[in-house]
Amino acid sequence: MLRRKPTRLELKLDDTEEFESVKKELESRKKQRDDVDVVGVATSSDMVGASGGTGDGKTREQMINERIGYKPHPKPNTLPSLFGNLQF
């Protein structure tokens, strides 16, 4: 089995400066994204509070169903449907 001599990595001053600049840029992007998320959460919660007080009478489930295009058919609450087809 052939062995290779250990390689040597040299860290230069330019490399560390570049690393620090990239690190700062990524941190600033993360802060901006977090700030936008915090503002977005506040506005969406305000909207939920405002829409809840309008008296539409729609539940959260109904709003989701409308948004995705699902239209469930409610089951009738008559005696034959509750107990099946029982014949005496």
Side-chain angles (χ1 to χ4, degrees), residues 48 51-52 57-68:
V48 168
S51 66
K58 295 182 180 179
T59 63
R60 181 173 187 243
E61 185 176 329
Q62 289 172 336
M63 292 184 343
I64 291 172
N65 289 345
E66 285 180 7
R67 188 172 58 223
I68 63 174

Side-chain angles (χ1 to χ4, degrees), residues 37-78:
D37 289 343
V38 169
V39 170
V41 168
T43 57
S44 66
S45 64
D46 292 342
M47 290 173 57
V48 168
S51 66
T54 59
D56 289 340
K58 295 182 180 179
T59 63
R60 181 173 187 243
E61 185 176 329
Q62 289 172 336
M63 292 184 343
I64 291 172
N65 289 345
E66 285 180 7
R67 188 172 58 223
I68 63 174
Y70 176 65
K71 297 177 184 176
H73 299 290
K75 295 180 180 179
N77 290 332
T78 60

Side-chain angles (χ1 to χ4, degrees), residues 14-28:
D14 295 339
D15 296 332
T16 56
E17 289 174 355
E18 182 181 356
F19 172 75
E20 290 297 324
S21 66
V22 170
K23 186 177 176 182
K24 287 179 183 178
E25 183 179 332
L26 289 174
E27 287 176 353
S28 66

